Amino acid sequence: MSITLKVTLRSLFANKWRLMLTAFAVVLGVGFVSGSFMLRDTLRSSFTSLAKDINSGVDVQVRARNEFGQDSSPNPTRAVPASLVPTVRGVRGVAAAEGNINLLGITIVGKDGKAKVPTGAPTIGYVWVNDPNISVLKLAAGRKPVGTGELALDTKAMVEAGYQLGDTVKVVTPTSKIQARLVGTFTFGKTGSTTGAYLVAFDPAVASDVLGLKGNYQTIDIHAADGEDLATLARRISASLPKGFEAIDFVALNKETVSQFVGFTEPISNILLGFALIALFVSMFIITNTFQILASQRLRELALLRALGASSGQIRTMITLEGLAVGIFGSIVGIGFGVLIAILIKAVVGSLFGGLQGGLIFTTLPFVVGIALGIVVTLASALAPALRAARIPPVAAMSGRHQFNVGHTRLRSAIAIAATTLGLALVGVGLFARPGKTQAWISLAGFGAITLFLGVAGLSRLLARPVITALSAALRPLARLVSWPFTIVLRRTRQHIIAPIARENVARTPRRTAAAAAALMIGIALIASGTVVGASIKTTVNKQLQTSIKADLFFSDKSFVGTPERIEQSIAGVPGIAAVSGYSLMQYRVSNGDKTAGVVDHTAFGELLDIKLVKGSWKNLTEDKIFLYKDPARDLKASIGTKLNVRLASVGIKTFTVAGIYNDASNVGNSVLDVSTYRKYNDTPRFDVFIGATLKDGADLATVKSATKTFLLDQAPALEVQDRKEFQKAQAQQIDLLVAIINALLFLAILIAVFGIANTLALSITERTRELGLMRAVGMLRSQTRSMIRWESVLTSVFGVVLGLVLGVALGSMLAGALPTTFADEITIPVGQLAIYVVAGILAGILAAALPARRAAKMNILAAIAES
């Protein structure tokens, strides 16, 4: 074993606790990175398995052609005529063909009379396909349903609804409500898992009418004859179909289904990965600071090694090996932590979406990426201290008067100013100029934010002394007030000298203080910016709801899909209701991309929402007419009477005429169509995102609301009724929930920062052993020593919090200002919430100081004084 390696190992064991604290930062970052990849692989595996179950038995499928390509809507826009089933059966190579339906928007009413809505998953109405080679439903008990008066439930749905075989089951479909006898239960696919969904199956002879497709189907599922090539068979069947319909084989069908699921789950993994990378970025500050301090404390040791013949290269190698050891240790433990994170998040996702199939999936990628990132980040952080340590003059360092040189102050300040300026410029260009595609300008703004953080971190050492002095003066009265009861109870004499000593200790090492506070600064800046953006959006939404909403009542379904359109007519029949309109969605495509239009009843919607219509009239929003928000109207150079060629998923290119321009898109989006247009191009049931209603003059809100609930209990048991204030509160709560989730994930950065401050304090105590011993020798009590260390920690923490708040408010204001006015038309700074972060910083400082303060107080006085 080489002498360099031996010395490195001795150094590691001599500083094992400090380096383990440093490794903890790596553990958290690597854990979330590897956990994100593990979760992604697991979700992909679960939903790939589900896709195979959904499509099992289907060799080829006939469906309406989607003019957009892959159909991403829950329910297809067009039905497949039942008359095509005999045509398909007659194609050479087809062994069996059955019409099929798996329609969303079903509600099971439990035996207790309450709607049974699965968590995060739909209730689906199925056809019990007779051919066992095609059917994905496997009988578990009883028999298959026959005729209009019978149905079957999946085993989980039956248990959750409280039914038994032979009971009469109430089911609400998009077009009606039915009561039928439960004659059988079944499992789904090969695994038996429905991933949280509830399933209801009907006899093929009646299913289409019961589910609202008027005798037609969603698809025709085909079982191929033995030996048939599926791709060839699909082409052969397509050739026999009329225009507007297509046949695809199992491979293409399964690929589409998996893609739809991945498109839903991939953002979850990407978001977690983004926060994990933030954690690693924060960790770099802590690791660099730790190795910087350790190298500074070991000046005489390193100089002695140089004097004994060690080369500068060996010194660099030794410190680099220490960083490598920390990186490997932190990465390995981080991988284990990542497994726990993936298991936990999988359980959370599973609880939200009714459970996920299988266990955790392990591939090589999470391990390789996690370990590689951990080692690279640690080595990069240890590089600068290693280079500087190698340049130590041996004789000067052994004299005890040499200070660890961190570079030319003016040059470092100039670089920090340049980085801050460049970062601000890049963030501004990315957010406001938005060059290139979305991913390009988001990446530009993100890189600018990183550069800005580095620049501010570099400048913060120049601010340390004046800010620390001001903070100490501001916090001392508060500290006296808080500590006064303890002083009385414990009969201790207060000594005001403790706080000034702590202030001087922190202020005399501005570089170390700034480095320790940098991680906390970044975490608080990110949380504060999110808080400002959330508050700005919330203020705008509240203002828009107060000024634009005229509806007195709102109705929304708790189910996965929405409210069937027939409920609008039911609500209109409630005594006291004046105008009613639902709001649903319809996809279309124009020259500048895919769009989503709000679909409303033009005869009533103007009474429910004020969209600030500046051109045109509601009475003109008839079939094939469209309203445009002012921004897309400007982009399309459209005005009243302009003809727009739009592509619809169901029928291809059609011409819409602009009938109105409006100024408020906050509640309806960028375009509005009438329900007559939707019905013309879609022959499957429509579902409303929400339904609004106004009251007749003189009608009592509470009375009508109660009557509506009672009236709709039988028609739509999953319907939720809200008045205007409740609707507004619900919208605000959604924003609060989003901000809370973001802050919870960013809490990881705060946790790492707290450990960084604790690490810095612990290393500082080691460096100040003799000083602390002398202070104890001249009369400082153990309790006063602990108080001094706590003060140092609190000042460092609050310094980081204050810098973070200033930076976060600035970034948050820029983000809010860059949002469309539909989302945020003014910048709101929530002072109360930001003040809470300052209090949290104080508590973080106290927490970080707990162990270092105790260690300093228990120090042996004589041994400390003897320390050289």
Side-chain angles (χ1 to χ4, degrees):
M1 183 182 294
S2 69
I3 188 65
T4 303
L5 184 57
K6 288 182 180 180
V7 174
T8 301
L9 291 174
R10 287 176 179 266
S11 176
L12 283 170
F13 282 106
N15 299 282
K16 55 182 178 295
W17 295 113
R18 306 293 157 253
L19 293 175
M20 284 183 69
L21 277 174
T22 304
F24 182 79
V26 182
V27 168
L28 290 178
V30 170
F32 270 83
V33 169
S34 59
S36 299
F37 281 108
M38 291 177 196
L39 180 66
R40 185 196 64 176
D41 294 338
T42 300
L43 291 177
R44 281 182 174 177
S45 174
S46 295
F47 285 109
T48 298
S49 176
L50 177 61
K52 289 180 179 178
D53 264 6
I54 291 173
N55 301 318
S56 62
V58 181
D59 294 326
V60 179
Q61 186 176 87
V62 172
R63 65 187 185 185
R65 183 186 300 277
N66 189 323
E67 295 294 332
F68 292 173
Q70 178 182 323
D71 185 5
S72 59
S73 62
N75 288 320
T77 57
R78 294 180 65 199
V80 177
S83 59
L84 285 181
V85 176
T87 301
V88 172
R89 285 174 177 165
V91 175
R92 179 171 53 86
V94 173
E98 299 281 353
N100 203 354
I101 299 172
N102 50 356
L103 188 74
L104 309 186
I106 314 296
T107 302
I108 301 172
V109 181
K111 202 167 185 177
D112 57 3
K114 297 180 180 179
K116 301 302 175 182
V117 180
T119 303
T123 301
I124 309 173
Y126 267 89
V127 171
W128 191 290
V129 175
N130 288 317
D131 192 299
N133 292 313
I134 297 176
S135 178
V136 293
L137 309 182
K138 311 300 179 185
L139 192 66
R143 60 177 175 80
K144 65 181 182 180
V146 178
T148 57
E150 296 182 350
L151 56 75
L153 297 175
D154 75 271
T155 53
K156 182 179 180 181
M158 183 186 74
V159 172
E160 294 294 328
Y163 289 115
Q164 295 180 349
L165 290 178
D167 288 343
T168 298
V169 179
K170 296 180 182 179
V171 175
V172 179
T173 74
T175 57
S176 64
K177 62 183 182 67
I178 62 174
Q179 293 187 355
R181 191 160 64 96
L182 178 61
V183 297
T185 61
F186 57 87
T187 58
F188 182 80
K190 295 180 181 179
T191 64
S193 172
T194 62
T195 315
Y198 295 162
L199 309 182
V200 187
F202 301 93
D203 178 13
V206 301
S208 182
D209 290 327
V210 168
L211 296 174
L213 268 69
K214 302 175 183 178
N216 298 314
Y217 300 104
Q218 284 181 311
T219 62
I220 299 174
D221 294 342
I222 298 155
H223 179 62
D226 293 341
E228 281 290 334
D229 179 75
L230 299 186
T232 302
L233 179 60
R235 288 193 295 270
R236 193 182 303 145
I237 294 172
S238 291
S240 70
L241 298 175
K243 183 180 179 181
F245 298 92
E246 64 180 356
I248 61 170
D249 61 22
F250 172 81
V251 174
L253 178 62
N254 199 62
K255 184 178 180 181
E256 284 186 5
T257 308
V258 171
S259 177
Q260 291 172 16
F261 285 136
V262 169
F264 171 72
T265 60
E266 199 76 3
I268 299 175
S269 300
N270 290 338
I271 289 170
L272 289 174
L273 181 60
F275 285 104
L277 294 177
I278 289 173
L280 279 174
F281 179 62
V282 170
S283 300
M284 290 185 66
F285 287 88
I286 296 172
I287 299 167
T288 302
N289 194 35
T290 300
F291 279 99
Q292 199 87 53
I293 296 172
L294 284 174
S296 178
Q297 291 176 357
R298 295 159 58 194
L299 282 178
R300 298 188 69 181
E301 170 195 336
L302 296 175
L304 182 60
L305 289 173
R306 291 290 309 281
L308 292 174
S311 65
S312 59
Q314 288 175 313
I315 298 297
R316 284 194 300 270
T317 301
M318 186 178 71
I319 296 179
T320 303
L321 286 175
E322 291 178 8
L324 179 63
V326 171
I328 293 174
F329 174 78
S331 299
I332 292 173
V333 177
I335 293 291
F337 182 55
V339 173
L340 296 178
I341 291 173
I343 292 173
L344 176 62
I345 297 179
K346 179 179 180 289
V348 172
V349 173
S351 67
L352 292 176
F353 298 100
L356 296 174
Q357 300 180 38
L360 204 62
I361 300 299
F362 296 102
T363 62
T364 57
L365 184 63
F367 296 89
V368 172
V369 172
I371 291 176
L373 270 178
I375 292 175
V376 168
V377 166
T378 311
L379 285 178
S381 302
L383 180 62
L387 292 175
R388 289 171 187 144
R391 294 196 295 266
I392 297 172
V395 176
M398 285 190 292
S399 69
R401 294 187 297 273
H402 182 79
Q403 297 295 319
F404 195 78
N405 184 21
V406 294
H408 299 289
T409 302
R410 291 183 179 178
L411 179 60
R412 288 172 60 85
S413 299
I415 293 174
I417 292 171
T420 303
T421 305
L422 177 62
L424 277 173
L426 292 176
V427 170
V429 171
L431 292 179
F432 295 99
R434 299 185 181 181
K437 296 182 179 180
T438 301
Q439 186 175 1
W441 65 259
I442 289 178
S443 299
L444 182 65
F447 179 74
I450 293 174
T451 306
L452 178 61
F453 285 139
L454 292 173
V456 173
L459 287 176
S460 61
R461 62 188 180 82
L462 303 177
L463 304 172
R465 177 172 286 277
V467 174
I468 291 293
T469 301
L471 288 176
S472 180
L475 291 175
R476 283 182 67 184
L478 176 63
R480 290 172 184 172
L481 180 63
V482 172
S483 64
W484 178 77
F486 299 97
T487 304
I488 299 299
V489 172
L490 298 177
R491 297 181 180 180
R492 289 177 177 170
T493 302
R494 290 185 296 167
Q495 292 190 10
H496 303 305
I497 192 63
I498 299 300
I501 292 175
R503 181 195 65 213
E504 287 302 313
N505 287 340
V506 175
R508 73 182 177 182
T509 54
R511 188 206 60 79
R512 180 180 299 174
T513 300
L520 188 59
M521 174 199 72
I522 295 171
I524 291 294
L526 292 170
I527 289 178
S529 61
T531 302
V532 170
V533 172
S536 301
I537 294 174
K538 187 175 178 180
T539 299
T540 302
V541 168
N542 286 336
K543 186 170 66 175
Q544 290 169 343
L545 291 173
Q546 290 170 358
T547 58
S548 63
I549 289 182
K550 298 187 286 185
D552 299 301
L553 291 174
F554 289 88
F555 307 85
S556 57
D557 201 292
K558 300 175 184 176
S559 68
F560 191 80
V561 182
T563 307
E565 62 176 314
R566 67 179 176 83
I567 301 301
E568 290 181 39
Q569 287 73 38
S570 298
I571 294 172
V574 176
I577 296 292
V580 177
S581 174
Y583 176 84
S584 53
L585 302 173
M586 178 174 168
Q587 306 293 324
Y588 68 96
R589 182 175 292 171
V590 291
S591 57
N592 59 345
D594 293 345
K595 307 295 179 183
T596 301
V599 177
V600 303
D601 181 352
H602 78 280
T603 64
F605 200 75
E607 302 296 321
L608 308 177
L609 283 174
D610 180 11
I611 63 173
K612 307 296 187 296
L613 193 62
V614 293
K615 293 181 180 180
S617 170
W618 278 106
K619 67 180 181 180
N620 297 328
L621 186 64
T622 53
E623 190 176 281
D624 287 342
K625 301 294 177 59
I626 188 170
F627 279 1
L628 293 177
Y629 178 51
K630 61 180 181 181
D631 290 347
R634 182 188 63 243
D635 295 340
L636 294 168
K637 298 179 181 179
S639 59
I640 301 298
T642 299
K643 305 291 184 181
L644 295 179
N645 290 325
V646 303
R647 181 178 292 275
L648 303 179
S650 55
V651 294
I653 296 178
K654 293 294 175 180
T655 300
F656 287 172
T657 303
V658 177
I661 308 291
Y662 56 94
N663 280 342
D664 187 354
S666 57
N667 296 300
V668 295
N670 286 334
S671 55
V672 180
L673 297 170
D674 184 59
V675 290
S676 59
T677 304
Y678 184 97
R679 290 169 183 152
K680 181 178 180 180
Y681 301 113
N682 299 271
D683 51 16
T684 53
R686 178 172 63 89
F687 295 90
D688 290 318
V689 178
F690 68 84
I691 300 172
T694 56
L695 304 186
K696 293 179 180 178
D697 292 340
D700 179 69
L701 177 62
T703 302
V704 176
K705 182 179 178 182
S706 177
T708 305
K709 287 183 177 180
T710 303
F711 185 82
L712 294 175
L713 184 62
D714 191 46
Q715 295 287 326
L719 204 66
E720 183 178 16
V721 185
Q722 296 174 315
D723 59 34
R724 193 182 306 172
K725 289 184 179 179
E726 290 170 336
F727 182 76
Q728 180 176 337
K729 183 179 179 181
Q731 303 307 305
Q733 286 176 341
Q734 291 180 18
I735 299 171
D736 290 339
L737 178 62
L738 178 62
V739 173
I741 292 173
I742 293 173
N743 287 350
L745 292 171
L746 286 173
F747 177 76
L748 172 65
I750 304 298
L751 183 62
I752 294 174
V754 170
F755 275 90
I757 293 173
N759 205 9
T760 301
L761 284 173
L763 292 169
S764 172
I765 288 168
T766 301
E767 188 176 37
R768 294 155 52 197
T769 300
R770 180 178 174 83
E771 171 193 327
L772 292 170
L774 288 172
M775 295 176 74
R776 289 291 313 283
V778 297
M780 179 176 280
L781 303 175
R782 288 186 174 182
S783 61
Q784 293 171 327
T785 304
R786 287 194 295 269
S787 296
M788 182 183 70
I789 300 300
R790 278 196 295 268
W791 255 111
E792 293 178 16
S793 180
V794 167
L795 289 174
T796 302
S797 297
V798 177
F799 174 64
V801 169
V802 169
L803 288 183
L805 288 179
V806 173
L807 186 56
V809 169
L811 280 176
S813 299
M814 293 179 70
L815 282 168
L819 290 173
T821 55
T822 302
F823 295 100
D825 62 0
E826 65 178 79
I827 298 171
T828 301
I829 300 175
V831 178
Q833 284 182 272
L834 299 180
I836 292 175
Y837 298 152
V838 176
V839 175
I842 295 173
L843 296 177
I846 294 173
L847 177 64
L851 291 178
R854 183 180 178 185
R855 178 171 174 264
K858 292 176 66 176
M859 191 177 294
N860 184 286
I861 298 176
L862 294 178
I865 295 174
E867 184 79 18
S868 60

